[in-house]
Amino acid sequence: MSTDFPTKELLDVIRGQARMEEKLDAFLKNSNSMQIKLTAIETDVSELKAKRREDRAYIAALSAVFSVAFAFILPALKKIFGI
């Protein structure tokens, strides 16, 4: 009985395993990179939403101020011009 290992087959298995490890490492690296980019996008979206709420509040405040101002100014202008 021979105890010779099939060295060619064993080397092929080792090479295949090394390729799979390289592919797995590349996948994990890309996955981490995508997660970092996703986190950055989520941060940008939340900042945009906050800015949009701020802008809406500003527009609502201006509308309220102009509404009150015109409520007092228009009757006075009508009186002045006789309309």
Side-chain angles (χ1 to χ4, degrees), residues 14-29:
I14 291 171
R15 285 185 193 121
Q17 183 180 2
R19 281 192 301 270
M20 289 302 293
E21 287 176 359
E22 287 174 9
K23 289 180 181 181
L24 182 60
D25 287 342
F27 173 77
L28 292 175
K29 183 180 177 183

Side-chain angles (χ1 to χ4, degrees), residues 41-59:
I41 290 171
E42 288 173 347
T43 302
D44 290 345
V45 168
S46 65
E47 288 174 359
L48 289 172
K49 285 182 179 180
K51 179 66 176 160
R52 185 176 176 195
R53 279 191 296 265
E54 181 183 317
D55 291 344
R56 282 185 172 178
Y58 182 72
I59 290 170

Side-chain angles (χ1 to χ4, degrees), residues 58-81:
Y58 182 72
I59 290 170
L62 284 177
S63 296
V65 167
F66 283 120
S67 296
V68 171
F70 280 117
F72 292 110
I73 293 173
L74 280 178
L77 288 177
K78 283 183 180 180
K79 230 186 242 186
I80 291 172
F81 292 115

Side-chain angles (χ1 to χ4, degrees), residues 22-37:
E22 287 174 9
K23 289 180 181 181
L24 182 60
D25 287 342
F27 173 77
L28 292 175
K29 183 180 177 183
N30 288 338
S31 177
N32 289 338
S33 175
M34 287 187 291
Q35 184 64 33
I36 291 169
K37 289 178 182 178

